Amino acid sequence: MSLEGKLVSEITIKSCGDVFHEIFRHRPHHISTMCPDKVQNVDIHEGDWGTVGSIIFWNFTHDGKEKVAKEIIEEIDEEKKLVKFKVIGGDILEAYKSFYLTVHVETKDEDNLVTWILEYEKLNPDVPDPHTLMDFCLNVTKDIETHHLTGKLVSEIEIKSDGDVFHEIFRHRPHHISSMCPDKVQKVDIHEGEWGTVGSVIFWNFFHDGKEKVAKEIIEAIDEEKKLVRFKVIGGDILDAYKSFCLTVHVETKGVNNLVTWILEYEKKHNNVPDPHTLMEFCLNVTKDIETHHIK
């Protein structure tokens, strides 16, 4: 029975293939921020990041145990977006005489195909094939993808109008907003539940980026103390580009002025989707129109 083996697995990702390759070549030490439950730390022990011959030390959690791996970068191929690592120390070599990991990316339109190749020689026939380590590599890939597709925008704007009234509009009467900025919001209806209650479903007709659009949202959270309302988009045009999208608006009262904070949290469907800066501008401009309406 041969002690040598090879596992190959492919996984499609929506995030940028060039960025994914660049992470494993130049900045694997950033991976711990993208999947801290799997990779705790990555240090360079010899050489420079992104160069053949450099030695990298990994702290990771695999099969429910904290482990370490010492690897040397054996090959880099920019054309194929390929990096090959050879394990030269650590827990993996307790079971394998030799172990190599290769990761490369093929770009295909919006999607990118990541291929992992594990090549190994077992120390004895009782050593299992490294299927769980392949699962580990694939799950790290998914976490890196999610990290690059998810985002959060935060913007603050001061208003002179009453902060309690502003909060009350978004909680109890968003259907009045169309009268305050009819060029931006044409209509707001309630489809399920009651105004001002968590779980209610609201339908918005609005004008954004020069187009008439719709959004179906559920009120996900209300915090009276923080003057906060959080909406989750569950239908409409926004979900053409984003897998998930949440909007939070809250008000801090500071004397005469009030600070309105908008938070947009999202996951893109693919890497070519832009961050929603124009939608943030829309929210800020609606805020200004509501302020102007109440000052008048």
Side-chain angles (χ1 to χ4, degrees), residues 7-49:
L7 296 181
V8 180
S9 286
E10 298 176 341
I11 182 171
T12 300
I13 61 171
K14 299 289 186 182
S15 55
C16 180
D18 290 334
V19 171
F20 189 89
H21 168 65
E22 188 259 349
I23 288 169
F24 276 94
R25 173 172 182 175
H26 289 288
R27 49 189 181 99
H29 50 300
H30 289 186
I31 293 174
S32 60
T33 64
M34 304 174 199
C35 48
D37 60 319
K38 300 177 184 68
V39 179
Q40 287 73 54
N41 197 40
V42 184
D43 288 321
I44 192 158
H45 278 208
E46 293 181 26
D48 297 314
W49 295 113

Side-chain angles (χ1 to χ4, degrees), residues 126-159:
D126 295 327
V127 173
D129 293 313
H131 292 291
T132 63
L133 195 57
M134 178 62 84
D135 288 339
F136 174 87
C137 295
L138 296 177
N139 287 328
V140 166
T141 302
K142 293 174 186 175
D143 286 349
I144 294 173
E145 174 188 33
T146 299
H147 176 85
H148 283 88
L149 292 179
T150 56
K152 182 177 181 179
L153 297 182
V154 180
S155 288
E156 298 176 340
I157 182 172
E158 283 195 354
I159 59 171

Side-chain angles (χ1 to χ4, degrees), residues 14-15 34 62-63 68 103 112 117 129 136 201 207 209 283:
K14 299 289 186 182
S15 55
M34 304 174 199
H62 168 242
D63 283 345
V68 297
V103 55
N112 298 277
I117 304 169
D129 293 313
F136 174 87
V201 177
F207 198 77
D209 281 347
C283 294

